[in-house]
Amino acid sequence: MTQPVSIADLMAQSGVAFGTSGARGLVSAMTDRICFAYTCGFLQHLADVGQFAPGSHVAVAGDLRPSSPRIMAACAAAIRYKGGHVHFCGFVPSPAVAAYGFERGIASLMVTGSHIPDDRNGIKFNRTDGEVLKSDELSIRAQAIALPDLFDDQDMLREAAPVEPLIDVATAYIARYVDAFGAQALEGLKLGVYEHSAVGRDILAALVEQLGGELHRLGRSERFIPVDTEAVRLEDQALARKWAAELGLDAILSTDGDSDRPLLADESGAWIRGDILGILCARALGIKAVATPVSCNSAVELSGLFDAVRRTRIGSPFVIEAMNALGAKGQAPVCGYEANGGFLLGSAVDVGTARLAALPTRDAVLPIIATLVDARRQGLSLSALQAQLPARYTFSERLQNYPTAQSQALIAHLLEGDRDAILTRLTQMFGDLAGAADTIDTTDGLRIRFEGDDIIHLRPSGNAPELRCYTESDTADRAAWLNEQSLRLIAEHKAPA
């Protein structure tokens, strides 16, 4: 047994730290020892709040990247070391294992790096009653762990992990939506499922068939593909247009790697932005109050569809906190959604004569199915359904291999001085693109609104060396152009030391 070591120290030493969706880092840094320790820290925190004790059960699942099975084994070893029992759920979507845990009142964890390349991975932790929030993360970081002598010189477990029986969580996850929407909900729709390497690809295909749609499987890959729903690759844009035209599809359905963020393309193969999909889903479900990050499309307010809209920092923990606050004020039904399309159902909703239970974690299936069902009910194409909303368009991209420290230094430089000095500096930098800077919002990064209502929002990524740029304008082409030009200016910009 080694001397106790704090999780905070391990994070500093390894570079595997908490981001917006759990702990993430390079696979080479996510040794068995690190993953074992982080899981112990999580369980010790749960013990402190009365949600774990020897004999408790913990569900474990993972995505399809090559490193996931090894990390799952290290996490399972930690659960057993702390006296817990492992419910091995295999390779299923993050919301499926979370729903399994919430329903049974047990903790769960998902090994996933979501959309980032497979040289990285992560662990997403769930309490018995919801996602780990920022307050939980602080407590986990503060835990001190006495690690047993189980690891070799490379910090890998010396012994192979026992093989637990596989628990089927997919059937209940599929039934959640079939029971709510009905076996004819997608009847008459010709739907493609872009499978790539998403862990929920077979579940999504099964849902199309069980809801009465005509299924076309597309683009399955045994090599991991990092599909980012906020910055869809050019090749995925081209593939969707090609499939839609060649097959005459009504829509194309897909998700990111761990299948908690949706991708839905209309009949032309154009991918619908996640923050627009969130509005369409909320409207279809009769939601009254919405929590959404500051980066999301302002059509949510302009539409007048909702009694309350609360803006948050980026990340599901912040959305959940705001969603809970809305619920505590008597707002119902309530939901949250993110720019990546992940949809969080904060309270139960009626779907026809059925009742859909709350699922307060990011989910990809609900926004896809609810929006398709609404379009079919109205007899509209997805493009026509989207055209019912105010004409505001968002676009997002990122500068890759742009260190977080460099992003933070840039934003600090742009925010130097009083309000007038800041607006003058922003106008000098971006004025040729968008005119005079009018207002700023520092809720998360730097969001700038210009006098012509264009928006440029800069934010360091929470889980990768990237600078995110979100833009909004009155046409899709202008939003995309504004994003491209903003990133060009930033790449060329040299902030003073």
Side-chain angles (χ1 to χ4, degrees), residues 350-361:
D350 293 322
V351 180
T353 59
R355 187 79 163 163
L356 186 65
L359 182 55
T361 191

Side-chain angles (χ1 to χ4, degrees), residues 261-280:
R261 309 178 187 197
L263 269 177
L264 180 64
D266 67 17
E267 70 281 1
S268 72
W271 296 110
I272 300 173
R273 298 289 305 174
D275 47 5
I276 293 296
L277 188 60
I279 301 171
L280 294 174

Side-chain angles (χ1 to χ4, degrees), residues 69 189 200 313 448:
L189 296 182
R313 291 179 62 188
I448 314 152

Side-chain angles (χ1 to χ4, degrees), residues 83-353:
H85 300 288
V86 177
H87 286 207
F88 180 68
C89 301
F91 302 93
V92 292
S94 290
V97 70
Y100 175 82
F102 298 159
E103 184 178 345
R104 287 159 182 78
I106 66 172
S108 65
L109 64 85
M110 176 77 181
V111 174
T112 179
S114 186
H115 63 282
I116 57 181
D118 63 0
D119 65 337
R120 297 172 181 269
N121 211 327
I123 310 171
K124 183 176 182 181
F125 299 110
N126 296 304
R127 296 164 49 106
T128 64
D129 54 357
E131 284 191 20
V132 162
L133 301 179
K134 290 301 177 183
S135 58
D136 298 303
E137 288 181 8
L138 290 173
S139 177
I140 295 171
R141 284 175 56 88
Q143 297 293 324
I145 309 299
L147 291 169
D149 185 21
L150 298 175
F151 308 96
D152 62 19
D153 292 341
Q154 283 74 48
D155 283 340
M156 297 301 176
L157 287 165
R158 292 193 185 94
E159 298 181 6
V163 178
E164 284 92 4
L166 179 65
I167 293 175
D168 174 18
V169 303
T171 298
Y173 185 61
I174 291 170
R176 166 181 171 83
Y177 296 106
V178 176
D179 292 347
F181 289 98
Q184 287 79 46
L186 301 180
E187 190 173 27
L189 296 182
K190 194 174 182 181
L191 303 172
V193 172
Y194 175 29
E195 298 183 319
H196 62 91
S197 54
V199 73
R201 56 193 179 183
D202 293 327
I203 286 175
L204 200 54
L207 274 165
V208 167
E209 292 189 317
Q210 292 189 37
L211 290 168
E214 179 183 321
L215 171 65
H216 294 261
R217 292 178 177 265
L218 307 166
R220 192 180 184 94
S221 173
E222 299 312 312
R223 175 180 61 85
F224 188 82
I225 298 174
V227 171
D228 185 346
T229 62
E230 287 187 77
V232 182
R233 303 179 311 157
L234 292 176
E235 51 263 57
D236 290 331
Q237 296 177 39
L239 279 172
R241 291 192 296 268
K242 173 177 175 288
W243 289 328
E246 290 179 354
L247 299 173
L249 300 173
D250 293 298
I252 300 171
L253 293 58
S254 193
T255 72
D256 68 336
D258 66 319
S259 297
D260 68 343
R261 309 178 187 197
L263 269 177
L264 180 64
D266 67 17
E267 70 281 1
S268 72
W271 296 110
I272 300 173
R273 298 289 305 174
D275 47 5
I276 293 296
L277 188 60
I279 301 171
L280 294 174
C281 178
R283 181 180 68 171
L285 295 174
I287 296 293
K288 297 301 182 185
V290 172
T292 192
V294 66
S295 59
C296 288
N297 195 301
S298 59
V300 65
E301 288 96 355
L302 296 172
S303 68
L305 291 169
F306 309 107
D307 296 339
V309 176
R310 181 167 295 193
R311 294 287 186 158
T312 76
R313 291 179 62 188
I314 295 169
S316 58
F318 301 110
V319 175
I320 291 169
E321 288 172 350
M323 193 169 65
N324 291 342
L326 286 168
K329 288 188 173 183
Q331 301 277 2
V334 61
C335 79
Y337 67 82
E338 299 181 272
N340 56 46
F343 195 91
L344 303 95
L345 187 60
S347 54
V349 293
D350 293 322
V351 180
T353 59

